[in-house]
Amino acid sequence: MTLVSLLGVPTFIGPGFMSAVIGLGVGFVIPTVLTYFFGVPAEEQTATDVTETVSVGEQLNAPIQGTILPLSAVKDPVFASKAMGKGLAIVPTNNDLVAPADATVAAVYPSKHAIGLVTDAGAEILLHIGIDTVQLDGQHFEQFVEQGQKVKAGDKLVTFDRAAIAAAGYDTTVMMIVTNTPNYTISETPETEARNAWVLNLKAI
């Protein structure tokens, strides 16, 4: 039996997602960490102007409006250490998580706090809403997509109640991680506010 089947990960998820899962296991018990971040996959249970020139590759837009933070500022050691891949974080100022690029939904979870995407250009993206929010078991989240669904950049993926989640004691910071990071040179926007423009530029190696 393969590791993919043991973990219940959809077979069309690429090696980057598996690398992310393995990375989470470093220093942790893998099942505990998988539950901590993802829960159980649902299928198993039922440009503003910028001030610098960037070589154009695949550009990912902000998945939500808000203040951009480096991953190192995230209050979770696994994200902050980039063990799952490079990316950035956004402290949200609205409640709608949207697709950062044209993509296929590769993974959804009953807790609705995380979405895995594979862009049409091949980047494997994890969008994770909040820290420890898997423990809410889907409360305060509404999901609008299903595994295998095609989405366009800007399509709504999840709506969540920031105020209620914060009142329950959870950090609502949104992380966007490129889980197949080794395939790319990744540059971040020089902007500090996530607007209707690219925030990550991926150039294939």
Side-chain angles (χ1 to χ4, degrees):
M1 183 176 291
T2 66
L3 181 59
V4 171
S5 61
L6 283 171
L7 294 176
V9 179
T11 56
F12 58 85
I13 292 178
F17 282 109
M18 290 308 305
S19 296
V21 170
I22 293 169
L24 282 173
V26 177
F28 300 88
V29 178
I30 288 178
T32 300
V33 177
L34 288 175
T35 300
Y36 174 70
F37 281 107
F38 303 125
V40 180
E43 189 170 271
E44 291 296 307
Q45 296 192 8
T46 41
T48 54
D49 292 337
V50 297
T51 58
E52 64 180 28
T53 300
V54 176
S55 178
V56 176
E58 179 179 7
Q59 294 186 328
L60 303 180
N61 295 334
I64 198 163
Q65 302 299 298
T67 302
I68 298 171
L69 298 176
L71 282 182
S72 59
V74 173
K75 298 176 182 178
D76 182 281
V78 176
F79 285 122
S81 68
K82 303 180 183 178
M84 299 181 68
K86 294 181 180 180
L88 49 70
I90 298 173
V91 178
T93 54
N94 72 2
N95 295 337
D96 295 331
L97 185 76
V98 302
D102 295 351
T104 299
V105 178
V108 296
Y109 302 90
S111 48
K112 304 175 185 177
H113 74 297
I115 297 281
L117 302 173
V118 177
T119 72
D120 289 357
E124 297 172 0
I125 309 299
L126 172 67
L127 301 175
H128 193 286
I129 303 168
I131 296 173
D132 293 342
T133 46
V134 65
Q135 298 177 26
L136 290 170
D137 197 26
Q139 187 177 10
H140 310 310
F141 294 87
E142 183 178 2
Q143 182 178 293
F144 295 94
V145 294
E146 298 179 353
Q147 187 170 304
Q149 182 176 334
K150 295 280 190 179
V151 294
K152 294 291 186 181
D155 284 354
K156 188 186 296 186
L157 305 175
V158 177
T159 290
F160 58 102
D161 188 332
R162 285 181 298 133
I165 293 169
Y170 295 91
D171 187 323
T172 60
T173 300
V174 172
M175 280 66 70
M176 180 164 68
I177 310 296
V178 181
T179 61
N180 59 343
T181 285
N183 295 346
Y184 300 97
T185 297
I186 300 175
S187 56
E188 300 178 19
T189 177
E191 300 290 337
T192 57
E193 294 297 319
R195 301 185 177 94
N196 295 320
W198 70 272
V199 292
L200 290 178
N201 185 76
L202 282 54
K203 190 169 184 180
I205 296 173

PDB file of all heavy atoms in Angstrom, residues 47-53 189-193 195-198:
ATOM      1  N   ALA A  47      -3.131  44.812 -10.094  1.00  0.00           N
ATOM      2  CA  ALA A  47      -1.884  44.982  -9.897  1.00  0.00           C
ATOM      3  C   ALA A  47      -1.782  46.456  -9.889  1.00  0.00           C
ATOM      4  O   ALA A  47      -1.996  47.179 -10.747  1.00  0.00           O
ATOM      5  CB  ALA A  47      -1.327  44.230 -11.081  1.00  0.00           C
ATOM      6  N   THR A  48      -1.954  46.626  -8.740  1.00  0.00           N
ATOM      7  CA  THR A  48      -1.473  48.008  -8.639  1.00  0.00           C
ATOM      8  C   THR A  48      -0.038  48.095  -9.126  1.00  0.00           C
ATOM      9  O   THR A  48       0.648  47.099  -9.274  1.00  0.00           O
ATOM     10  CB  THR A  48      -1.517  48.473  -7.174  1.00  0.00           C
ATOM     11  OG1 THR A  48      -0.781  47.527  -6.409  1.00  0.00           O
ATOM     12  CG2 THR A  48      -2.941  48.586  -6.668  1.00  0.00           C
ATOM     13  N   ASP A  49       0.490  49.326  -9.431  1.00  0.00           N
ATOM     14  CA  ASP A  49       1.877  49.464  -9.858  1.00  0.00           C
ATOM     15  C   ASP A  49       2.799  49.007  -8.740  1.00  0.00           C
ATOM     16  O   ASP A  49       2.526  49.217  -7.566  1.00  0.00           O
ATOM     17  CB  ASP A  49       2.214  50.920 -10.202  1.00  0.00           C
ATOM     18  CG  ASP A  49       1.492  51.388 -11.453  1.00  0.00           C
ATOM     19  OD1 ASP A  49       1.111  50.521 -12.269  1.00  0.00           O
ATOM     20  OD2 ASP A  49       1.308  52.611 -11.602  1.00  0.00           O
ATOM     21  N   VAL A  50       3.942  48.428  -9.121  1.00  0.00           N
ATOM     22  CA  VAL A  50       4.926  48.010  -8.137  1.00  0.00           C
ATOM     23  C   VAL A  50       6.193  48.789  -8.376  1.00  0.00           C
ATOM     24  O   VAL A  50       6.393  49.376  -9.429  1.00  0.00           O
ATOM     25  CB  VAL A  50       5.189  46.489  -8.214  1.00  0.00           C
ATOM     26  CG1 VAL A  50       3.933  45.722  -7.885  1.00  0.00           C
ATOM     27  CG2 VAL A  50       5.719  46.083  -9.587  1.00  0.00           C
ATOM     28  N   THR A  51       7.060  48.772  -7.379  1.00  0.00           N
ATOM     29  CA  THR A  51       8.231  49.615  -7.423  1.00  0.00           C
ATOM     30  C   THR A  51       9.473  48.883  -7.887  1.00  0.00           C
ATOM     31  O   THR A  51      10.553  49.442  -7.865  1.00  0.00           O
ATOM     32  CB  THR A  51       8.491  50.217  -6.027  1.00  0.00           C
ATOM     33  OG1 THR A  51       8.646  49.153  -5.087  1.00  0.00           O
ATOM     34  CG2 THR A  51       7.318  51.091  -5.607  1.00  0.00           C
ATOM     35  N   GLU A  52       9.356  47.627  -8.275  1.00  0.00           N
ATOM     36  CA  GLU A  52      10.500  46.900  -8.775  1.00  0.00           C
ATOM     37  C   GLU A  52      10.082  46.056  -9.968  1.00  0.00           C
ATOM     38  O   GLU A  52       8.916  45.712 -10.130  1.00  0.00           O
ATOM     39  CB  GLU A  52      11.128  46.027  -7.681  1.00  0.00           C
ATOM     40  CG  GLU A  52      10.211  44.924  -7.178  1.00  0.00           C
ATOM     41  CD  GLU A  52      10.854  44.083  -6.091  1.00  0.00           C
ATOM     42  OE1 GLU A  52      11.717  44.607  -5.383  1.00  0.00           O
ATOM     43  OE2 GLU A  52      10.479  42.909  -5.972  1.00  0.00           O
ATOM     44  N   THR A  53      11.041  45.726 -10.801  1.00  0.00           N
ATOM     45  CA  THR A  53      10.760  44.927 -11.983  1.00  0.00           C
ATOM     46  C   THR A  53      10.881  43.452 -11.635  1.00  0.00           C
ATOM     47  O   THR A  53      11.845  43.022 -11.034  1.00  0.00           O
ATOM     48  CB  THR A  53      11.754  45.271 -13.107  1.00  0.00           C
ATOM     49  OG1 THR A  53      11.614  46.648 -13.410  1.00  0.00           O
ATOM     50  CG2 THR A  53      11.471  44.431 -14.347  1.00  0.00           C
ATOM     51  N   THR A 189       5.572  40.272  -3.818  1.00  0.00           N
ATOM     52  CA  THR A 189       5.240  41.656  -4.132  1.00  0.00           C
ATOM     53  C   THR A 189       5.944  42.606  -3.175  1.00  0.00           C
ATOM     54  O   THR A 189       6.132  42.288  -1.996  1.00  0.00           O
ATOM     55  CB  THR A 189       3.725  41.882  -4.035  1.00  0.00           C
ATOM     56  OG1 THR A 189       3.442  43.262  -4.269  1.00  0.00           O
ATOM     57  CG2 THR A 189       3.180  41.507  -2.664  1.00  0.00           C
ATOM     58  N   PRO A 190       6.321  43.783  -3.646  1.00  0.00           N
ATOM     59  CA  PRO A 190       6.857  44.796  -2.732  1.00  0.00           C
ATOM     60  C   PRO A 190       5.759  45.535  -1.963  1.00  0.00           C
ATOM     61  O   PRO A 190       6.048  46.321  -1.073  1.00  0.00           O
ATOM     62  CB  PRO A 190       7.603  45.748  -3.664  1.00  0.00           C
ATOM     63  CG  PRO A 190       6.867  45.644  -4.954  1.00  0.00           C
ATOM     64  CD  PRO A 190       6.427  44.204  -5.058  1.00  0.00           C
ATOM     65  N   GLU A 191       4.510  45.271  -2.309  1.00  0.00           N
ATOM     66  CA  GLU A 191       3.402  45.941  -1.636  1.00  0.00           C
ATOM     67  C   GLU A 191       3.212  45.381  -0.224  1.00  0.00           C
ATOM     68  O   GLU A 191       3.579  44.246   0.079  1.00  0.00           O
ATOM     69  CB  GLU A 191       2.111  45.753  -2.431  1.00  0.00           C
ATOM     70  CG  GLU A 191       2.149  46.307  -3.838  1.00  0.00           C
ATOM     71  CD  GLU A 191       2.174  47.825  -3.873  1.00  0.00           C
ATOM     72  OE1 GLU A 191       1.730  48.456  -2.892  1.00  0.00           O
ATOM     73  OE2 GLU A 191       2.646  48.378  -4.877  1.00  0.00           O
ATOM     74  N   THR A 192       2.610  46.168   0.632  1.00  0.00           N
ATOM     75  CA  THR A 192       2.290  45.715   1.986  1.00  0.00           C
ATOM     76  C   THR A 192       0.809  45.426   2.159  1.00  0.00           C
ATOM     77  O   THR A 192       0.413  44.798   3.143  1.00  0.00           O
ATOM     78  CB  THR A 192       2.710  46.759   3.033  1.00  0.00           C
ATOM     79  OG1 THR A 192       2.062  48.005   2.745  1.00  0.00           O
ATOM     80  CG2 THR A 192       4.221  46.959   3.018  1.00  0.00           C
ATOM     81  N   GLU A 193       0.003  45.868   1.187  1.00  0.00           N
ATOM     82  CA  GLU A 193      -1.432  45.610   1.231  1.00  0.00           C
ATOM     83  C   GLU A 193      -1.830  44.733   0.053  1.00  0.00           C
ATOM     84  O   GLU A 193      -1.416  44.988  -1.085  1.00  0.00           O
ATOM     85  CB  GLU A 193      -2.237  46.912   1.190  1.00  0.00           C
ATOM     86  CG  GLU A 193      -2.046  47.786   2.425  1.00  0.00           C
ATOM     87  CD  GLU A 193      -2.532  47.125   3.698  1.00  0.00           C
ATOM     88  OE1 GLU A 193      -3.609  46.487   3.661  1.00  0.00           O
ATOM     89  OE2 GLU A 193      -1.838  47.239   4.721  1.00  0.00           O
ATOM     90  N   ARG A 195      -4.030  43.753  -2.712  1.00  0.00           N
ATOM     91  CA  ARG A 195      -5.078  44.364  -3.528  1.00  0.00           C
ATOM     92  C   ARG A 195      -5.365  43.450  -4.704  1.00  0.00           C
ATOM     93  O   ARG A 195      -5.035  42.267  -4.673  1.00  0.00           O
ATOM     94  CB  ARG A 195      -4.626  45.751  -3.985  1.00  0.00           C
ATOM     95  CG  ARG A 195      -4.306  46.710  -2.832  1.00  0.00           C
ATOM     96  CD  ARG A 195      -3.990  48.098  -3.349  1.00  0.00           C
ATOM     97  NE  ARG A 195      -3.762  49.031  -2.263  1.00  0.00           N
ATOM     98  CZ  ARG A 195      -2.576  49.327  -1.763  1.00  0.00           C
ATOM     99  NH1 ARG A 195      -1.493  48.743  -2.260  1.00  0.00           N
ATOM    100  NH2 ARG A 195      -2.458  50.185  -0.784  1.00  0.00           N
ATOM    101  N   ASN A 196      -5.970  43.985  -5.736  1.00  0.00           N
ATOM    102  CA  ASN A 196      -6.293  43.173  -6.910  1.00  0.00           C
ATOM    103  C   ASN A 196      -5.085  43.108  -7.848  1.00  0.00           C
ATOM    104  O   ASN A 196      -5.122  43.590  -8.974  1.00  0.00           O
ATOM    105  CB  ASN A 196      -7.515  43.754  -7.631  1.00  0.00           C
ATOM    106  CG  ASN A 196      -8.763  43.667  -6.783  1.00  0.00           C
ATOM    107  OD1 ASN A 196      -8.973  42.666  -6.112  1.00  0.00           O
ATOM    108  ND2 ASN A 196      -9.576  44.701  -6.811  1.00  0.00           N
ATOM    109  N   ALA A 197      -4.006  42.535  -7.363  1.00  0.00           N
ATOM    110  CA  ALA A 197      -2.760  42.437  -8.111  1.00  0.00           C
ATOM    111  C   ALA A 197      -1.978  41.237  -7.603  1.00  0.00           C
ATOM    112  O   ALA A 197      -2.310  40.649  -6.568  1.00  0.00           O
ATOM    113  CB  ALA A 197      -1.952  43.716  -7.947  1.00  0.00           C
ATOM    114  N   TRP A 198      -0.921  40.875  -8.337  1.00  0.00           N
ATOM    115  CA  TRP A 198      -0.136  39.711  -7.944  1.00  0.00           C
ATOM    116  C   TRP A 198       0.550  39.943  -6.586  1.00  0.00           C
ATOM    117  O   TRP A 198       0.927  41.048  -6.246  1.00  0.00           O
ATOM    118  CB  TRP A 198       0.885  39.358  -9.004  1.00  0.00           C
ATOM    119  CG  TRP A 198       2.029  40.348  -9.142  1.00  0.00           C
ATOM    120  CD1 TRP A 198       2.070  41.471  -9.926  1.00  0.00           C
ATOM    121  CD2 TRP A 198       3.300  40.275  -8.489  1.00  0.00           C
ATOM    122  NE1 TRP A 198       3.263  42.108  -9.788  1.00  0.00           N
ATOM    123  CE2 TRP A 198       4.046  41.399  -8.910  1.00  0.00           C
ATOM    124  CE3 TRP A 198       3.881  39.378  -7.588  1.00  0.00           C
ATOM    125  CZ2 TRP A 198       5.344  41.645  -8.463  1.00  0.00           C
ATOM    126  CZ3 TRP A 198       5.165  39.618  -7.144  1.00  0.00           C
ATOM    127  CH2 TRP A 198       5.889  40.735  -7.579  1.00  0.00           C
TER     128      TRP A 198
END
